[in-house]
Amino acid sequence: MTVVVVVVVVVVVLVVVVVVVLVVVVVVVLVVVVVVVLVVVVCAGVLDDVQTFYNINNKEASLLSTAFIISYMLLSPIFGYLGDRCNRTVIMSCGIISWSVITFASSFVDRQVHWFCLTTYIGGGLVL
């Protein structure tokens, strides 16, 4: 009788662990999807103005949006890891300063290649 009880308890514990892991995975995927959608919406909101100001076509504008989103997605886990293990005040200060400097510098760039690079850095600074 006790062996049956132990087996039932082990099975119930395993089922609970699997359900919890699945719930966590679903929540993480939903959070990532929401963040990507929000970033795309923000980029799309200013993309027409950027195209007009810099006189770029749709292909170049979509390349800028893609660079911003990819840099944001690749750097998020890195800075999330640092945020868990380092002083958050220092990380936030570095992020605000670097993002401000890069955003300010991007207003003086006239070449599209340099502006593309700065847009990518802005995505990374936003993660910080």
Side-chain angles (χ1 to χ4, degrees):
M1 185 81 170
T2 58
V3 173
V4 173
V5 171
V6 170
V7 170
V8 169
V9 168
V10 168
V11 169
V12 169
V13 168
L14 286 175
V15 168
V16 168
V17 168
V18 168
V19 168
V20 168
V21 168
L22 287 174
V23 167
V24 167
V25 168
V26 167
V27 168
V28 167
V29 167
L30 287 174
V31 166
V32 168
V33 167
V34 167
V35 167
V36 169
V37 167
L38 287 175
V39 170
V40 168
V41 167
V42 168
C43 286
V46 297
L47 199 54
D48 290 336
D49 296 334
V50 169
Q51 280 182 284
T52 304
F53 185 79
Y54 285 101
N55 194 23
I56 58 176
N57 59 24
N58 287 339
K59 181 180 176 183
E60 293 167 334
S62 63
L63 182 63
L64 285 175
S65 295
T66 303
F68 180 84
I69 291 169
I70 288 175
S71 67
Y72 188 91
M73 286 177 24
L74 291 178
L75 294 174
S76 290
I78 295 169
F79 291 117
Y81 176 83
L82 290 175
D84 290 339
R85 286 159 181 77
C86 299
N87 186 353
R88 291 182 183 166
T89 305
V90 172
I91 292 174
M92 289 292 289
S93 300
C94 291
I96 291 169
I97 290 169
S98 66
W99 190 44
S100 299
V101 167
I102 291 168
T103 302
F104 181 72
S106 70
S107 65
F108 296 107
V109 174
D110 56 354
R111 293 185 185 169
Q112 293 173 359
V113 174
H114 294 108
W115 191 68
F116 170 78
C117 294
L118 288 174
T119 301
T120 305
Y121 295 141
I122 289 170
L126 187 61
V127 172
L128 257 174

